[in-house]
Every structure is written in structure tokens, then in C-alpha cells.
Amino acid sequence: MVAQLTRQRLLASPCEFSEVDAVLAQYSVTPLPGPAAVADFALARIRELALEETFFVVDLGMAARLHACFVGALPRVTPFYAVKCMPEPGLLRMLAALGAGFDCASAAELTAVLGMGVPPSRIIYAHPVKPPAQVRWAAESGVDLTTADTVGELEKLARWHPRTAVLLRIRADDPSASCCLGNKYGAEPIDAFGLLVAARSLGLDIAGVCFHVGSGATNPQAFTAAIASARKVFNMGAGLGFRMRLLDLGGGFVNRPGPDGLPCLGGVPAAINAALDAHFPDGAGVRVIAEPGRFFAEHTGTLLCAVHGKRERAAPNGGRHVDYWISDGIYGNLNGIYYDHLQPVAVPLRVHEPNASPEPTTASSSSLFGPTCDGADVVLSSCVLPELAVGDYVLFPGLGAYSWAGAADFNGFTCRDVRFMHVYS
């Protein structure tokens, strides 16, 4: 049944069909009629397995639709998934089966992707400043595409990985992005020529240009300006004798629901496609890739947290307020509250009684606390929830991006070693 759903909803070669089917079989994926059924699936598993701990539901069907959306909207751009966003093996294997490449930023990420059988040609070691030992490891592993934005990095590559192809990373900020990166990475335009000259003197192969407009970017024109800047650097490189052949658009792609409710990329594809036609026309011999992470991961993962404790008290307005302690918090899979501008939405799952929508009179002013003894471990200081009991659950949709990837086991509460359940909606 899952395989039939896959064939109906994906545009892929017969080889890719076979690889996708193998992933679905490997993870015993449960087919669902649609994304809304994730809550019912989770509730059934909680009751069936008598669960009392945090777990994720990973929707590989959503990942497949997002991949189809991306390649359909940007037909000249090959996505290289940013592994740091959500390195969950099922998601990685699904994207690999669909033909995606991978943006890895460490030896651990390289090891995970290579271990799945992904060839080095589908990997970019996209960290502009790498530890020397990891540069040597990449050379030994045959990963021959990387990035750099300083003379010091070029010198490291010339010493320990001289055969690698290098993309010169330039600064290209979208000021409206949720997380800007230009303060840390990306050569200023005025420095690009000097870096190219240094690379030539070191005997390195500058293969092209990369940039990153910022995580969660919202302004399509940021890509327009960045592609125009990349063209200027391409011209500089060609003038110095480099074979400039690869453009990396980086990340920053945000999943915005379209008019039909399906995922889309807003006005970004139109801006990118127009800029590519203007500066890197088809047939010019330039391959184009990008490094989407959040776009693929965010709506693929749903976090489920158990209610472990409860307290009633008077609200400041004289009404009733209920505090709940749940099995995860800001040190674990909800860490994005503090460093990724996350505003979680809590959906109640009442495990021990019918999960019907509560009457308005049963809803109370509530707070959700994480499990640690730190007073800062607050998930939601104010929300409205129906009456919950210890053993019930709270569901957080859209928690695939920058959640498990950044979790820690602070205070002895295990948040990294969580259960993953895979579905295909």
C-alpha cells in the first residue's frame, strides 16, 4: 500500500522507486491517509505500547512531497540536504533514495551519510572553517568538494587535501532571516579577488561560489542579489584561469503553505529562476545546487511529550491555572525555543479517555514546564489546554527542524535517545 502511494505521488525513475520502497520496508513505515492522521496514529501507539516518554513521529510521505515540490519549483537546482538540521536516519535514507545530495559540516555527518552508501560525489563538506583532522579525514574518505572563505582555510586545504574542489563562500545576508550567518561566515565582496589569487598561488581548484542568505530567510530578493554577486566572482575566477563550474545557493528556504494547503516556497523560486536565467543561463556549463534543511525537516517531524506532573493554582485574574510538567523541554528537543525562535504549538492528546474536542468550559489557563530542575526550563508560560492527567500527552507539530539535532541530556533527563516512529501520509 505504501509503495502504491509512493508511485502515485512522486516523479522518479524506476531505480528511485525501488530505493524508496526499500526505505519504507526497512523502517516498517505505516501508511496514513493524510498529515492530520499523525495525531491518531500517535495516540494509538501510546495506548498500544503503554508509552510514558518522549518520541517522534517522522512523516516520510511529507518528506517525499517536499522533495517533489522543491525540484518542481527549481528544476535546475539539485537539493543537498543540510544534515545538521535533522540527522534522523529514516529521513536521510528517504532523501537519499529520492536522489538528493547532502550538505555535511562535520566528520560525524560525513560518516553517517557515507555509511548509507551515498557516493562522495553527492556530498559537499560545507563547513568554511574545518578542524585539520577532519580535513584529513575527508581527504581519506574521498569527499572532494568543500567550501572556504579565508586564506587560512585555503592554506589548510592546500596542505591536507590539495585535490579537493573548493567553493569560495561569499557573504550574502537577508536582514529579515531568523538566523543571519554573515557575521560568522562569508568573504566580503571586496576580499573575493584576493582570496582567488591566494588559491591560485596555492595550486587549489576553485570550482565556483557558494553563499547562504540566512536560516529562515523571507526576502526572495536576497537570492537575486546573491546570485548577481556570485556572477561577479565567477568572472573574476575565470579571468584568473579557474574552471568555474558550480554554484551553491546555500539554505534559507522556508516552507510556506500555498493556496491549496500544499507546501511551497513562496516567491523564492521565481526570483532564483529569473536570476539564474540572467546570470547563469542554462547551457552555460554551470551546475547549481542548494542546501535546504528546514524546508525538508520542519513539517516532517512531530514531537510527542508525556505529562509527568500537574499542579493547580489561582491565576492572577482570580481564575484557575494549571501547571503541567512534560517529558521534554528547552534542554532537549524543544531547545529551539531559546536559539531558533521556536514558538511551539501544543496539541493535547488525552490517552485515558476519548480524545474528543473538549467543551470550552473545560479549557484552562495553563503552563508547560520541561522535566529538569532548572527554573528556566519553561516550554510555554501561558497557553489554554483542556484538563489533562498524568499519562496524557502533548503533541507539538512541525518540530523536525533543529530539535533532536541540538538536544542534550542535561540533568540526567535523556532526550537524545528517543524513539522514532515512521509514517507515510
Side-chain angles (χ1 to χ4, degrees):
M1 178 178 180
V2 175
Q4 293 173 349
L5 291 171
T6 304
R7 288 179 169 82
Q8 291 168 4
R9 295 174 178 171
L10 299 180
L11 297 175
S13 68
C15 176
E16 287 172 334
F17 279 143
S18 175
E19 293 176 4
V20 168
D21 288 345
V23 174
L24 300 179
Q26 178 181 357
Y27 288 91
S28 301
V29 175
T30 300
L32 298 180
V38 167
D40 292 336
F41 167 84
L43 186 62
R45 297 290 82 75
I46 292 166
R47 289 171 172 165
E48 175 189 353
L49 303 174
L51 297 178
E52 295 181 329
E53 70 276 356
T54 299
F55 67 97
F56 273 97
V57 176
V58 179
D59 186 352
L60 299 182
M62 177 63 75
R65 288 194 297 281
L66 290 169
H67 183 271
C69 167
F70 191 95
V71 299
L74 295 163
R76 291 185 55 198
V77 183
T78 301
F80 275 51
Y81 174 64
V83 176
K84 65 179 178 292
C85 183
M86 182 59 158
E88 194 277 315
L91 176 59
L92 297 182
R93 289 185 181 275
M94 172 58 80
L95 291 174
L98 292 168
F102 293 90
D103 154 18
C104 299
S106 67
E109 292 179 359
L110 290 169
T111 299
V113 174
L114 289 168
M116 297 187 308
V118 175
S121 60
R122 284 168 59 184
I123 298 172
I124 178 171
Y125 189 4
H127 197 314
V129 184
K130 298 163 281 294
Q134 296 194 23
V135 174
R136 295 190 292 270
W137 191 94
E140 294 167 1
S141 302
V143 178
D144 295 339
L145 178 62
T146 191
T147 67
D149 60 7
T150 65
V151 172
E153 192 69 11
L154 295 174
E155 291 172 342
K156 282 193 300 186
L157 294 172
R159 179 178 179 184
W160 289 304
H161 197 355
R163 74 169 182 274
T164 190
V166 183
L167 301 184
L168 181 63
R169 179 158 171 170
I170 60 173
R171 183 170 184 174
D173 294 338
D174 175 2
S176 66
S178 59
C179 298
C180 290
L181 300 171
N183 63 314
K184 189 174 181 181
Y185 298 118
E188 299 291 347
I190 195 172
D191 297 324
F193 186 78
L195 289 167
L196 291 168
V197 171
R200 186 177 65 174
S201 69
L202 291 165
L204 288 171
D205 173 19
I206 298 294
V209 174
C210 65
F211 58 80
H212 198 307
V213 299
S215 183
T218 57
N219 181 7
Q221 298 310 309
F223 286 95
T224 301
I227 292 170
S229 295
R231 178 71 264 178
K232 295 178 182 178
V233 180
F234 261 70
N235 292 343
M236 292 179 195
L240 290 170
F242 291 110
R243 187 167 66 89
M244 307 291 280
R245 56 195 184 274
L246 180 59
L247 174 65
D248 182 353
L249 308 179
F253 301 92
V254 177
N255 182 351
R256 302 176 178 89
D260 55 3
L262 297 175
C264 72
L265 288 153
V268 168
I272 289 177
N273 291 333
L276 290 177
D277 288 343
H279 300 291
F280 298 92
D282 197 12
V286 175
R287 182 187 181 205
V288 186
I289 67 173
E291 301 168 2
R294 188 188 306 272
F295 178 77
F296 285 135
E298 184 172 25
H299 295 289
T300 299
T302 300
L303 179 68
L304 283 299
C305 300
V307 175
H308 285 172
K310 178 179 178 180
R311 174 180 65 195
E312 297 183 21
R313 56 177 173 157
N317 62 4
R320 178 172 177 267
H321 186 92
V322 183
D323 294 325
Y324 297 102
W325 282 258
I326 60 176
S327 58
D328 215 327
I330 67 165
Y331 293 99
N333 293 291
L334 289 149
N335 59 84
I337 292 170
Y338 269 69
Y339 79 79
D340 195 39
H341 310 279
L342 173 65
Q343 297 178 325
V345 175
V347 179
L349 289 182
R350 291 183 290 176
V351 176
H352 303 294
E353 59 182 87
N355 198 46
S357 299
E359 296 295 329
T361 55
T362 66
S364 301
S365 170
S366 304
S367 298
L368 292 178
F369 297 137
T372 72
C373 286
D374 190 341
D377 194 0
V378 180
V379 175
L380 287 170
S381 59
S382 179
C383 60
V384 177
L385 292 171
E387 190 77 14
L388 297 174
V390 171
D392 286 338
Y393 266 74
V394 180
L395 176 151
F396 295 97
L399 256 292
Y402 299 106
S403 51
W404 180 66
D409 293 339
F410 172 67
N411 205 183
F413 288 92
T414 302
C415 296
R416 288 285 302 164
D417 187 20
V418 296
R419 183 193 302 250
F420 290 92
M421 303 180 186
H422 297 86
V423 300
Y424 190 106
S425 69

